[in-house]
Amino acid sequence: MKYAITGARILDDATPTTIEVTDGVITALGAPAAADAEVIDAGGTVALPGLVDIHTHLREPGREDAETVLTGSRAAAKGGFTAVHAMANTSPVQDTAGVVEQVYQLGQEAGYVDVHPVGAVSVGLAGEQLAELGAMASSRAQVRVFSDDGICVSDPVLMRRALEYVKSFDGVIAQHAQDPRMTKGAQMHEGIVSAELGLTGWPAAAEESIIARDVLLAEHVGSRLHVCHLSTAGAVDIIRWAKERGIQVTAEATPHHLLLTDERVRSYDPVFKVNPPLRTQDDAEAVRQGLADGTIDVVGTDHAPHPAEDKDCEWAAGAHGMLGLETALSIVIKTMVQPGLLDWAGVARVLSETPAQIGRVADQGRPIAVGEVANLCFVNPDVTWTVDRNALQSKSKNTPYHGMELPGRVEAVLFRGRPTVLNGEVIA
Ligand SMILES: [Zn+2]
């Protein structure tokens, strides 16, 4: 099968070109469309490598009422992704070779993106005993990212052992940095707004103290650490210090921590309840700066679907987490590209190349060049769209952006050379 995608500018190139894709591989750049090629008009778009999410919750197995691998894969495609890392806090937990292979297989059957299961660090996410990391790594799913995300690996001895263990197969521990004792019963960021609302606060130090400890552990054992959803100005400083010291640490920011702040909690709408919590304007600006200067390596969505009954309730009872896959690129355009903090090469770096490298994923996050597998995303940055929670591909509706007008529409996506999105619509 041969496609000629016409009219797109590759990253920051000023001149539109034609990308030819034959049997899943990029076979020509800038050549006129061949007579036997199916033409895809991508006029006005920017061509990016297919986006890679380092942090997705697909909820299957166990919470298929919130999301399935299929619905989450469709949401990912709609958002411009060609690969996602599916977090381990499913039911049963992804802590054995059998469960990660099941999720991997479901991803293959869905066929919209590469689904890379994340393995749990500890058995049952209980934080006591190491899970079968080696068995998951050598399984068909070839797990390289391990995380108890949702829960912090708070025991320093277990964290050290996990970091040591994954070195043998070039794995990485992705930490949800949250001191459990300092955040017991916390409802939102600890600061002026929490004091005014009378809600139990979640101090920045609860995140920063774990990150500081973990970079020292990673240095001590010479292993790779990835910090999930970094959200405070102080955390950016710690990562900057660690990188200057040569520690192998990567850090992730979510779209919502780039855009939203704890002021949203004044609405008492649980759609804004998330872990880590929305922080202050100063924190959001520090996270943007950290992403711009490379201190923060990637944007991860932390896509966290929840059914209506878990969000349609009073603030204190609401579940943590918000949708992210279908809006991530638009939020990055709004917060980073439009203010001039990132160019398109920078977008490709934080949303595709580096997440693929962290996950040691082949065929993803690659340059748009002849001979590369055709994982491609075409976004029109000049079109705006209004988020409608009822029109999302996700099975859940807990987007914090409902009704918001956002820039950047994903017009087309090719996954391994096959269109998964055309004219802005997911192909059935
Ligand atoms: Zn988390």
Side-chain angles (χ1 to χ4, degrees):
M1 195 64 213
K2 185 176 281 192
Y3 296 96
I5 305 110
T6 61
R9 292 173 288 133
I10 296 176
L11 301 178
D12 300 292
D13 281 358
T15 315
T17 191
T18 295
I19 303 173
E20 182 187 83
V21 171
T22 312
D23 297 332
V25 175
I26 299 171
T27 43
L29 291 176
D36 60 338
E38 187 173 316
V39 175
I40 297 172
D41 178 7
T45 69
V46 173
L48 299 167
L51 308 185
V52 178
D53 193 15
I54 194 71
H55 191 149
T56 313
H57 296 274
L58 292 179
R59 302 296 191 218
E60 188 176 6
R63 286 308 300 268
E64 291 84 354
D65 57 331
E67 196 80 285
T68 66
V69 172
L70 177 61
T71 59
S73 294
R74 289 172 60 94
K78 178 88 191 234
F81 290 86
T82 52
V84 301
H85 289 79
M87 277 296 174
N89 61 340
T90 50
S91 180
V93 171
Q94 290 167 207
D95 59 0
T96 63
V99 181
V100 294
E101 284 188 347
Q102 180 195 353
V103 172
Y104 177 79
Q105 181 63 32
L106 288 166
Q108 296 268 300
E109 287 165 12
Y112 285 94
V113 292
D114 286 333
V115 174
H116 296 283
V118 172
V121 172
S122 68
V123 174
L125 308 176
E128 288 165 6
Q129 197 186 334
L130 274 191
E132 298 174 2
L133 310 184
M136 290 188 273
S138 57
S139 76
R140 213 158 60 83
Q142 294 183 49
V143 176
R144 289 295 177 272
V145 183
F146 296 87
S147 183
D148 276 0
D149 183 63
I151 301 171
C152 181
V153 180
S154 62
D155 178 351
V157 177
L158 188 75
M159 187 62 181
R160 175 191 175 160
R161 287 227 302 279
L163 285 163
E164 282 174 334
Y165 197 107
V166 297
K167 276 171 73 176
S168 60
F169 42 82
D170 198 21
V172 62
I173 304 296
Q175 174 72 292
H176 172 116
Q178 178 193 356
D179 184 281
R181 299 252 302 146
M182 288 173 80
T183 53
K184 202 163 189 299
Q187 292 292 325
M188 66 172 297
H189 172 67
E190 181 181 301
I192 292 165
V193 181
S194 69
E196 287 179 8
L197 298 180
L199 290 172
T200 307
W202 189 316
E207 176 174 327
E208 294 157 6
S209 58
I210 294 290
I211 296 173
R213 181 202 76 178
D214 285 353
V215 295
L216 294 173
L217 287 174
E219 178 179 47
H220 184 58
V221 304
S223 190
R224 285 206 291 145
L225 169 72
H226 177 71
V227 177
C228 297
H229 44 49
L230 173 160
S231 69
T232 74
V236 179
D237 288 340
I238 295 165
I239 298 293
R240 197 172 281 130
W241 173 85
K243 287 189 165 181
E244 280 167 8
R245 224 172 135 90
I247 297 170
Q248 296 179 72
V249 60
T250 52
E252 153 198 320
T254 70
H256 45 275
H257 289 113
L258 292 170
L259 181 66
L260 306 174
T261 70
D262 60 349
E263 290 292 331
R264 299 278 174 167
V265 182
R266 294 185 191 279
S267 68
Y268 289 106
D269 184 343
V271 82
F272 297 112
K273 191 171 177 184
V274 66
N275 177 351
L278 299 176
R279 304 286 188 183
T280 67
Q281 187 64 36
D282 284 350
D283 291 311
E285 281 168 16
V287 171
R288 291 184 195 185
Q289 281 304 327
L291 186 62
D293 70 22
T295 304
I296 299 172
D297 301 82
V298 300
V299 171
T301 69
D302 196 4
H303 178 80
H306 289 290
E309 63 269 27
D310 291 351
K311 282 289 193 181
D312 211 358
C313 54
E314 60 179 306
W315 178 272
H320 289 106
M322 39 183 69
L323 300 183
L325 285 169
E326 296 174 67
T327 45
L329 181 53
S330 289
I331 302 294
V332 168
I333 292 171
K334 183 182 173 74
T335 58
M336 301 298 295
V337 179
Q338 289 186 341
L341 292 170
L342 277 185
D343 57 13
W344 292 107
V347 173
R349 174 168 52 79
V350 303
L351 269 167
S352 180
E353 291 161 18
T354 311
Q357 286 162 10
I358 292 169
R360 299 294 190 253
V361 170
D363 300 338
Q364 298 279 354
R366 300 288 304 160
I368 299 174
V370 172
E372 297 286 353
V373 172
N375 289 311
L376 298 165
C377 164
F378 298 88
V379 61
N380 188 331
D382 302 321
V383 171
T384 61
W385 60 292
T386 302
V387 181
D388 176 359
R389 62 187 166 218
N390 298 307
L392 298 174
Q393 293 293 323
S394 175
K395 203 163 181 178
S396 292
K397 303 189 191 309
N398 55 306
T399 174
Y401 312 112
H402 177 66
M404 211 181 272
E405 190 174 311
L406 296 177
R409 195 172 99 118
V410 174
E411 298 291 347
V413 179
L414 269 74
F415 169 57
R416 298 187 174 279
R418 190 172 53 78
T420 53
V421 173
L422 285 177
N423 301 317
E425 300 295 334
V426 177
I427 293 175

